[in-house]
Amino acid sequence: MEDPIMIASRVSRVAAGFVLVTMAVLSACGSSTGPGAPFRPQITNEPDNFQFQANNVTRATWTFTYTWSNSGIRASVDQTSAITAGTATMTILDAGRTQVYANDLKANGTFITSAGAIGSWTIKIVFTNFFGTPNVRVQKA
């Protein structure tokens, strides 16, 4: 008969391995430009300045999510995308996870977010069967 301590040790190693694999999978799912992303955008992600741009995207369905540091309570959003088909939307959450902005990227122009909590904001851009050139800039307002 096998020693109960050896069995417990093996179960602990298997459980720890399962946790590590699960964390790696979840991290990969949260990775905006990880394996499987249909294109690689050019990103600037600095405190108080975020920019997302890509040229000639075709047939993209993907969600890009970024954490962006905003030292202000509002942000200015400049959208200058050229969309030929499909949809692209951008949602911004403040540091308290409250939505402060949502818009279709077809709406070109400069917009101001609602007031939000200072800190790490979340910028989420969702493409569905997208064709075109997305270009957005988010800056502290």
Side-chain angles (χ1 to χ4, degrees):
M1 183 165 172
E2 197 169 353
D3 179 21
I5 294 174
M6 294 298 287
I7 292 172
S9 175
R10 188 175 15 198
V11 168
S12 291
R13 284 193 309 265
V14 169
F18 176 76
V19 168
L20 289 174
V21 168
T22 301
M23 287 172 58
V25 168
L26 291 175
S27 293
C29 292
S31 174
S32 295
T33 57
F39 63 94
R40 294 249 180 228
Q42 294 84 47
I43 303 297
T44 300
N45 190 353
E46 300 168 345
D48 299 331
N49 182 37
F50 175 87
Q51 188 167 351
F52 180 104
Q53 195 270 331
N55 292 320
N56 302 319
V57 176
T58 58
R59 203 176 297 118
T61 298
W62 194 261
T63 299
F64 292 88
T65 304
Y66 301 93
T67 299
W68 171 64
S69 179
N70 185 5
S71 65
I73 63 167
R74 294 183 191 273
S76 173
V77 180
D78 184 31
Q79 297 182 184
T80 56
S81 298
I83 300 172
T84 56
T87 61
T89 59
M90 182 167 62
T91 305
I92 302 175
L93 307 177
D94 71 1
R97 309 291 295 159
T98 299
Q99 181 176 306
V100 294
Y101 184 81
N103 206 348
D104 190 318
L105 292 188
K106 286 183 182 176
N108 286 326
T110 301
F111 310 93
I112 301 295
T113 67
S114 301
I118 294 171
S120 295
W121 288 28
T122 301
I123 298 174
K124 181 173 158 182
I125 304 172
V126 179
F127 296 95
T128 305
N129 200 27
F130 179 85
F131 291 75
T133 299
N135 189 1
V136 298
R137 176 179 288 163
V138 183
Q139 295 178 309
K140 173 186 165 183

